[in-house]
Every structure is written in structure tokens, then in C-alpha cells.
Amino acid sequence: MEIFQTDFGMVNVIKGVRVDAENRPSIDGWITTTFLLGCIAGAAACSILADRIGRKYSIIASGGFFAVGGALQAAAGSLAVLLTGRVFSGLAIGIASMVVPLYIAETAPASTRGALTTIYQLMITFGIFVATAINCIIIKTVDNTSSLEWRLALGMQIIPAVLLVGLVSLIPFSPRWLAEKGRHDEGLEVIAKLRGLTSSDQAAIDEYNLIRAGSDADKAIGDASWAELFRGPNGRRMVIAIVNQSLQQLTGINVILYYSADIFKAMGFASADTIIAFPLANSFVNFLATFPGMWAVDRFGRKPLLVWGGLGMAVGHAGVYTFLTLSKSGPQSLAWGAIISVYIFLVCFASTWGPVVWSYQAEIFPLRLRARGTGIATMTNWTWNAIIAYAFPQVFSALNKEPTVYWIFFSFCMIMFGWAWAFVPETKGKTLEEISEVFGDKPAVDSENVTVVKK
């Protein structure tokens, strides 16, 4: 949006000609970086917040931060206010990205937990598509010489923030968090309600007994410490979660989402297509491709999706490199092969590493360390996101916008293929308490020996 660039000193108009300001790279960097630093801080804070005030109230807090961030950005009259709003929005996203998959994992039945937690990623891709479509509509319909254009685009984020706060207020607390806090009557009632049963049904009692047994076993170990996350079976969990989140970002997904206009322009396509048509198609393909992942994660398991997803993304990147290289010495129409290869990559990412990494990290940690472990893993994701967002324009420019950069992403995708094959254990169909045994923990106390206290 040109008026946004002018209002915040990114572009100067000299004799009717738009010229980038000398400090534009710095302003661009701060606008992106402040948001991502907020995400990192939000994930870090929520690793403690989610245990203290609960998963539910943490999600509500994220909605509040997001509304404040949207309001500050939409009303910004200076760069300082805009950046402050970016920090608040980042805090919101950091909190939500950590706690929402965790909440879903703790409330879902084992048989459908994978599909339900991937709904988190589905809604992200849907949100990206809706936001892209709204921005396209605003660009086409609102006067581009008025600040209303960008204020309206930024202010729209307040609407989902308010809906989030209102709707999450109606959902129950996590039954596992209630067990951890010793609120067993409430925990049993929540499990019964979630399963469509009553608190006197034996199936609900048995499931909550297992949750309580796992919680009691955790408490018997003692208070949780950060150091525990880096030794023994928990150290293995932490390494897997950190590597998974790192590799998810090193696929190049956010390069394609953040810089798609620059990438498609480098392919030789018209400016109008690179600004509107291709980004909109990207976000739509990203959304649709999440559905196969939801269907497959509980049928084939987490591990196969991560293994073959890595290989599929590598094929996509190899295709982009090949067709772009051929189009430079042959007909320009070959660049369409690169576009198709980008969509192959997007389909493979959105149906595998996109949703499964979030689902997997939310289910592998024991209850007493779950918030801290998922918090660190989520911080890893946003840290790599920030590094790549900052570094890619410079790397792309240093390579003269040549397709060589896709071999870098190809290499990481091949590493993902081998990593998932060799080091990621399967968790499909197991309760969160049973998953502990997959990582070498001792079985929890026999649930039949735990008595649920009823009112």
C-alpha cells in the first residue's frame, strides 16, 4: 500500500516520482522484527502463564493483546506507535501459537487428537487466506491516496480478537490442568461433558482416573524445573521439538508467504499478478491442502507424514530451481512450471510439516513440563522465523535473485526426510499419559488404584 509507505517515511515523493528513503530497509526490518520479537516474548511468557492461570485464560489474554495491538496500529500517527502495536500483536500470536495446540491436545480423545490439533493450522491458513482476500479488496476499492486504506486493513484484526475473547470465555478449562491443580471434581465434569457423558458414567471416570494417575505421578517427582527439559527422556523430547520447529521454518514456507511478490516478480511475471493474483492463490492452496493432513494424521500417523512431507517439499524446491533456470535460457512460459512447483511445495507443507509439528509438540511432554516444553519449542519457531525474515532479502539479493536459494531449502527438506525417518517416534492412537512410555518414562500409577473424589 503506497500511502502506508509514504505516511511512515519509507518512500519520498520527489517531483511526482516515488523514491525509496535511505532508511527504508531499517523501517521494513523494524516493522517485521518488532512483531516477531513480540511472538518470541509471548511464547516465553506463556510457558509460565499457561500453568499459573490456565490454558483458557491464556488464550483470552492473547485475544486482549491482539485487540490492543490492532487498535494501536490502526490509529498510529507515528512509527513508534505503529511498532508498539506490532509488539502487542506479536505477544498475542506468540501466546496463542503456544497454548492453543496444547489446549486442544489436552481436551481431545486419543483417537482423533491429531486431526483436532491440526485444526489449529487449518484456521491459521484460513485466516491468512481471508486476510489476503480482504487486503486485495481494500487495495481495489479504497482510495489509495488516503490513510484509510492501511488503517482499515490493520484495524480489521480487532474483529477476530474480540470474537476470540468472547467465544473462548464459553469453553471449559483443560481437564489436565484441573487435575494438576487438584480440582478433581471439576476435571471429571469437564471430561464427561467433552465426551458427551455424565460424571457418573464409568467411561468418563476411567478416563479421568488415568489423567489423575499421570498427574499424581508427576507430582510425586517434585516441582518442575527448567533443567529437567534438557536431560533424560525429557531431553530427548526437547531436542525433537526444537529440531522439528527449526526445520519447519527452514523449509522456506515463510519466505514464500512473506516475499511471494518479490519471488514471482523475479520469475518475470507482471506486477499486478505478483501483488494480488499469486499471493491470493498461494493462501488458498495453503488452506485447502491442510484438509488432507487432518484426514491422514490419525490414519497413517505423525511419523509417515513428516517423512514423506519432507521428501515432497524437496521435490517442489527442485522443480522451482529447474524451471526457473530453464526459463532464463528458454521460453518464459517455462516459469509456469516453477509456479506449479511452488504449489507442490505448499501442498506438501500444508498437509504434513505445517500442522503435524504443532500437533506433535503439544502431545509429547509430560503434564508437569508441557507448558514449558511447548513454550521453548514455540520460541524456537518464532526465532527462526525472525532470522529468516531478516536474512532472506539479503541472501536473495546477494545471489542476484537467482534460483540458487531454492537448493538451500531443498537441502533442508532432505534433512527433514532423514531426521523424521530416524529420530521421530510415532504417537498415533495413544493417550497423552501413554505417550510418556514411548519416551522411556515409567508407566503411571494403575488408574484402577486411583479414586476420584465426587461431590
Side-chain angles (χ1 to χ4, degrees), residues 92-109:
I93 298 301
I95 292 171
S97 64
M98 177 266 176
V99 77
V100 170
L102 188 152
Y103 176 86
I104 297 172
E106 290 188 345
T107 55

Side-chain angles (χ1 to χ4, degrees), residues 49-55 57 106 173-183 367:
L49 197 67
D51 279 336
R52 291 191 177 177
I53 68 172
R55 288 51 161 150
Y57 288 146
E106 290 188 345
F173 293 106
S174 161
R176 288 173 169 85
W177 180 77
L178 290 171
E180 184 183 28
K181 298 302 179 184
R183 294 160 61 175
L367 179 61

Side-chain angles (χ1 to χ4, degrees), residues 26-247:
S26 175
I27 296 174
D28 283 339
W30 276 112
I31 289 174
T32 301
T33 303
T34 49
F35 172 76
L36 294 173
L37 289 175
C39 291
I40 295 168
C46 199
S47 62
I48 298 173
L49 197 67
D51 279 336
R52 291 191 177 177
I53 68 172
R55 288 51 161 150
K56 174 179 176 175
Y57 288 146
S58 296
I59 299 172
I60 291 174
S62 75
F65 281 126
F66 203 60
V68 171
L72 286 172
Q73 291 173 75
S78 67
L79 183 61
V81 175
L82 178 73
L83 296 181
T84 301
R86 296 289 288 169
V87 171
F88 272 94
S89 292
L91 285 169
I93 298 301
I95 292 171
S97 64
M98 177 266 176
V99 77
V100 170
L102 188 152
Y103 176 86
I104 297 172
E106 290 188 345
T107 55
S111 60
T112 57
R113 187 178 60 247
L116 290 174
T117 49
T118 57
I119 288 176
Y120 163 77
Q121 181 69 14
L122 177 71
M123 291 297 100
I124 287 177
T125 59
F126 178 69
I128 292 171
F129 172 67
V130 170
T132 303
I134 290 173
N135 282 340
C136 291
I137 292 170
I138 291 173
I139 290 171
K140 286 288 190 180
T141 59
V142 179
D143 181 7
N144 64 2
T145 63
S146 168
S147 65
L148 176 64
E149 184 184 47
W150 63 264
R151 293 185 191 279
L152 184 60
L154 293 174
M156 292 293 288
Q157 60 190 300
I158 299 172
I159 297 173
V162 172
L163 288 173
L164 179 67
V165 172
L167 294 175
V168 172
S169 299
L170 304 177
I171 68 175
F173 293 106
S174 161
R176 288 173 169 85
W177 180 77
L178 290 171
E180 184 183 28
K181 298 302 179 184
R183 294 160 61 175
H184 298 302
D185 288 344
E186 292 177 70
L188 175 58
E189 289 175 1
V190 168
I191 277 291
K193 185 176 181 180
L194 289 171
R195 305 297 181 257
L197 304 170
T198 67
S199 57
S200 60
D201 284 326
Q202 192 61 42
I205 293 172
D206 289 344
E207 182 173 355
Y208 188 73
N209 279 354
L210 183 60
I211 292 170
R212 181 174 176 179
S215 174
D216 290 345
D218 276 347
K219 289 178 182 177
I221 298 173
D223 292 336
S225 70
W226 291 97
E228 283 182 77
L229 286 168
F230 300 95
R231 60 174 183 255
N234 292 323
R236 182 187 175 199
R237 292 178 171 96
M238 196 73 259
V239 168
I240 291 173
I242 287 174
V243 172
N244 282 355
Q245 288 286 15
S246 299
L247 290 174

Side-chain angles (χ1 to χ4, degrees), residues 129 132 276-287 339 343 346:
F129 172 67
T132 303
I276 296 178
F278 289 141
L280 191 60
N282 272 3
S283 58
F284 187 61
V285 170
N286 194 24
F287 169 61
I339 295 291
Y343 294 150
L346 281 173

